[in-house]
Amino acid sequence: MKPESEDGSKPESKDDLKSIAMPELQKKLSSSPDGLSQAEAQKRLTQYGPNEIAAKKTNPFLKFLTYFWGPIRG
């Protein structure tokens, strides 16, 4: 069961952002057609961190060894 907000309505999903008008969406996200101000961008960077995904680094030698890993059939 999904939790409901204090006013009794269901929480908003990401799909709801697709269906609202652009001016309302910009207001909801505290943005504008020109983007974020430098101060707002810095504030969000401090609050949420950088918008990046850490890359997984694999050892090429270990990857090579995985080609030999598996059951031995006779």
Side-chain angles (χ1 to χ4, degrees):
M1 182 174 191
K2 293 183 180 180
E4 294 184 359
S5 63
E6 291 180 16
D7 64 356
S9 64
K10 292 183 180 180
E12 296 180 25
S13 69
K14 292 180 181 178
D15 293 332
D16 291 336
L17 296 178
K18 296 177 186 176
S19 63
I20 62 177
M22 186 58 71
E24 185 180 341
L25 179 61
Q26 290 170 345
K27 182 178 179 186
K28 187 178 199 84
L29 298 176
S30 302
S31 186
S32 71
D34 299 323
L36 300 174
S37 68
Q38 186 66 31
E40 182 65 21
Q42 186 61 44
K43 175 183 162 194
R44 291 184 187 195
L45 181 61
T46 303
Q47 183 177 1
Y48 301 112
N51 185 17
E52 63 186 20
I53 298 173
K56 290 184 179 179
K57 295 183 180 181
T58 58
N59 184 323
F61 180 70
L62 293 177
K63 185 174 180 179
F64 173 74
L65 289 178
T66 61
Y67 293 117
F68 298 101
W69 190 265
I72 299 174
R73 296 183 186 174

